[in-house]
Amino acid sequence: MLSALAVSPAQIAPAIALRGYVEPARPATDAQTLGATRSFGKDEEIFGEGDRATCFYKVLSGAVRTSKLLSDGRRQIDAFHLPGDIFGIETGASHRFSAEALGDASIIVYRRCSLDSLSAGDSAFHSQIVAAMMRSLERAQNHMLLLGRKSAVEKVASFLLDIAERATDHGHVELPMSRVDIADHLGLTVETVSRSLTGLERRNIIALPAHRRSIVLRDRAALRRLEA
Amino acid sequence: MLSALAVSPAQIAPAIALRGYVEPARPATDAQTLGATRSFGKDEEIFGEGDRATCFYKVLSGAVRTSKLLSDGRRQIDAFHLPGDIFGIETGASHRFSAEALGDASIIVYRRCSLDSLSAGDSAFHSQIVAAMMRSLERAQNHMLLLGRKSAVEKVASFLLDIAERATDHGHVELPMSRVDIADHLGLTVETVSRSLTGLERRNIIALPAHRRSIVLRDRAALRRLEA
DNA sequence: CGTGTTATTGACTTCATTCAAATTAGGTGG
DNA sequence: CCACCTAATTTGAATGAAGTCAATAACACG
């Protein structure tokens, strides 16, 4: 079931990873590494909607999606989290999202509940959290404009530019998520995402290599024109 | 052009209000009243998208909408702010929204930029701001689910429940905003909002009195079932 | 009472969805 | 290394929900 392969560089754990595999914390770039590093496999749950929020998280390698579900299963992915991104901060008692790894991923788990650290001292750590919150908020606010007011092609164009900006090697984007994930992020169906991508390819704005998880941005200016 | 009337109780300023009318700060319920109270008329701009963010704001009376525009004029209202709500907090240099009064409104203007106060002491004031940010974030995240995944009726039902919870006298909701505003908040057109409301009325779930700005919730259970 | 604005209603169109099928990629095991 | 198998993606055709355009109705205000 666990299909490991490539993509995540910092992946050390064996492919047949047991849930909750814990490694000794390796001091990363940040000063504040109070947390332990854990590895997750494809689609493995990091936390569930409604779980007690005792920790928050930071992506070391790989990628994570956070999402909400409607009673009948409709899903909205609020964000994709790439290396360096913090997610899972809550002020309430429980997580209002679920979080799953998109592929193999390693995550730093911070034990301290954000609410505690808000009042407590440690201003460096604290302001890092506040900054992360603010970034989430800005992202969410832009995304509302996308979800509420953009057409399918505009949504896809925006998405490509966004993801490219965050995770690109000059034009060549390696997507860590499936088409379904993209659809659930953009408020579309898989079919519409696929058709939009095909449409962009036909117009020579992007290229879709055989390896479906990668996309080449041929004409960013055109994308920017399309994005709204 | 300035059509004042009723609605806002704490309204003291004359109807022919000049922009930026400033009153001496009246210590409100909160301890932290560092700001001056200002009054705004219907559709008056409090700040614009891109304006330097030197202040943030709190609604005393009336209501405010914050919105983003697409180049071609499509608008997404990210939130309606009712008395007690804080809005306009930014960490960057400029506002990423515009804010306008929905009708006559009085607003407390806090001079301190949020970013300053984040690092600075004053933990009570500070945590109030962080809490406001967090509430915005939660709101935005729920709204993404609505925008991305709910049908028109579900959106309208959710909206009614939400606004009722925040600003109701037992079932009778006095809407401070127009149908266009509702539409731009829910990612719909006015016509669809209107049709959805009419539909709910026909099903006896709500009543639409002559005074179009008010709505009576007859059957909240039904609304809750509809909301998703 | 007229007038301008806001809301509702109707007819028609369209974009995105749904349902269904075909294709392709990538992993598995021989 | 190759044939097979499963899951992901793409494509096609038909439907449908919400949008657009246009007209009417209902207020709010002077």
Side-chain angles (χ1 to χ4, degrees):
Chain A
M1 209 58 47
L2 260 170
S3 49
L5 203 54
V7 183
S8 51
Q11 178 67 15
I12 312 132
I16 308 99
L18 271 97
R19 270 270 215 129
Y21 178 96
V22 180
E23 293 189 73
R26 224 185 345 157
T29 47
D30 305 271
Q32 281 290 352
T33 308
L34 303 167
T37 302
R38 285 185 46 185
S39 293
F40 294 87
K42 184 175 159 67
D43 293 326
E44 199 179 336
E45 179 178 291
I46 298 165
F47 56 80
E49 205 171 335
D51 282 5
R52 273 198 77 65
T54 54
C55 310
F56 63 93
Y57 307 82
K58 183 177 190 169
V59 182
L60 254 188
S61 70
V64 171
R65 66 170 170 255
T66 45
S67 59
K68 276 175 179 294
L69 290 179
L70 246 30
S71 43
D72 64 353
R74 279 173 286 174
R75 184 179 65 156
Q76 177 65 39
I77 295 179
D78 88 300
F80 296 115
H81 306 277
L82 303 183
D85 292 346
I86 293 175
F87 65 96
I89 300 174
E90 303 287 348
T91 51
S94 56
H95 284 295
R96 294 167 354 278
F97 288 102
S98 69
E100 297 111 33
L102 287 173
D104 292 331
S106 48
I107 311 286
I108 307 182
V109 183
Y110 295 97
R111 289 268 147 225
R112 297 166 79 187
C113 176
S114 61
L115 196 53
D116 304 344
S117 60
L118 288 184
S119 36
D122 200 343
S123 81
F125 192 45
H126 170 256
S127 69
Q128 204 186 114
I129 295 173
V130 173
M133 254 175 65
M134 198 63 203
R135 241 173 289 124
S136 289
L137 181 56
E138 290 178 16
R139 220 156 231 309
Q141 289 167 337
N142 287 326
H143 206 58
M144 286 192 283
L145 179 61
L146 177 146
L147 291 171
R149 287 297 177 220
K150 292 190 184 177
S151 72
V153 204
E154 290 169 346
K155 286 177 176 182
V156 171
S158 303
F159 171 73
L160 289 177
L161 286 170
D162 174 63
I163 202 78
E165 198 170 300
R166 298 206 286 155
T168 197
D169 303 303
H170 52 277
H172 190 270
V173 185
E174 194 60 35
L175 297 178
M177 74 292 285
S178 73
R179 299 289 195 262
V180 182
D181 287 331
I182 298 175
D184 284 350
H185 183 51
L186 301 181
L188 298 171
T189 57
V190 210
E191 294 94 328
T192 303
V193 170
S194 187
R195 276 188 258 268
S196 302
L197 287 172
T198 309
L200 292 174
E201 184 179 39
R202 200 170 309 117
R203 298 209 255 160
N204 282 314
I205 295 173
I206 61 171
L208 300 168
H211 180 37
R212 251 49 181 256
R213 285 299 181 88
S214 69
I215 292 187
V216 182
L217 305 193
R218 289 202 178 293
D219 187 349
R220 291 205 192 207
L223 279 179
R224 247 173 259 118
R225 253 174 281 130
L226 276 178
E227 101 173 292
Chain B
M1 211 52 50
L2 260 171
S3 50
L5 203 53
V7 184
S8 52
Q11 178 67 16
I12 313 133
I16 308 99
L18 272 98
R19 271 273 214 127
Y21 178 95
V22 180
E23 291 189 75
R26 225 188 342 159
T29 47
D30 305 271
Q32 280 291 349
T33 308
L34 301 167
T37 302
R38 285 184 48 184
S39 292
F40 294 88
K42 184 174 156 66
D43 293 326
E44 199 180 334
E45 179 176 292
I46 298 164
F47 56 80
E49 203 171 336
D51 282 4
R52 274 197 77 65
T54 54
C55 310
F56 62 93
Y57 307 82
K58 183 178 192 167
V59 182
L60 254 189
S61 71
V64 171
R65 66 170 171 256
T66 44
S67 59
K68 276 176 180 292
L69 290 179
L70 245 31
S71 43
D72 63 354
R74 278 173 287 175
R75 183 178 66 156
Q76 177 64 40
I77 296 180
D78 89 300
F80 296 115
H81 307 276
L82 303 182
D85 292 346
I86 293 175
F87 65 95
I89 300 174
E90 303 287 348
T91 52
S94 56
H95 284 294
R96 293 167 355 278
F97 288 102
S98 69
E100 297 111 32
L102 287 173
D104 292 332
S106 49
I107 311 284
I108 307 181
V109 183
Y110 294 97
R111 289 266 146 227
R112 298 165 79 188
C113 176
S114 62
L115 196 53
D116 303 345
S117 60
L118 288 183
S119 36
D122 199 343
S123 81
F125 191 47
H126 170 256
S127 68
Q128 203 186 115
I129 295 172
V130 173
M133 254 174 65
M134 199 62 204
R135 242 174 289 124
S136 289
L137 181 57
E138 290 179 16
R139 222 158 228 310
Q141 288 167 338
N142 287 326
H143 206 59
M144 285 193 284
L145 179 61
L146 177 147
L147 290 170
R149 286 298 176 218
K150 293 190 185 179
S151 72
V153 205
E154 291 170 344
K155 286 177 177 181
V156 171
S158 302
F159 171 73
L160 290 177
L161 287 169
D162 175 63
I163 202 81
E165 198 171 299
R166 297 206 286 155
T168 197
D169 303 302
H170 52 277
H172 189 270
V173 185
E174 194 59 36
L175 297 178
M177 73 293 284
S178 73
R179 298 288 195 264
V180 183
D181 287 331
I182 299 175
D184 283 351
H185 184 51
L186 302 181
L188 299 170
T189 58
V190 210
E191 294 94 328
T192 302
V193 170
S194 188
R195 276 188 258 267
S196 302
L197 287 172
T198 309
L200 292 174
E201 184 180 39
R202 200 171 308 117
R203 298 208 255 161
N204 283 313
I205 295 173
I206 62 171
L208 301 168
H211 180 37
R212 253 47 184 257
R213 284 298 181 89
S214 70
I215 291 187
V216 183
L217 305 193
R218 289 203 179 292
D219 187 350
R220 290 203 194 209
L223 279 180
R224 247 171 260 118
R225 252 174 283 129
L226 276 176
E227 101 173 292

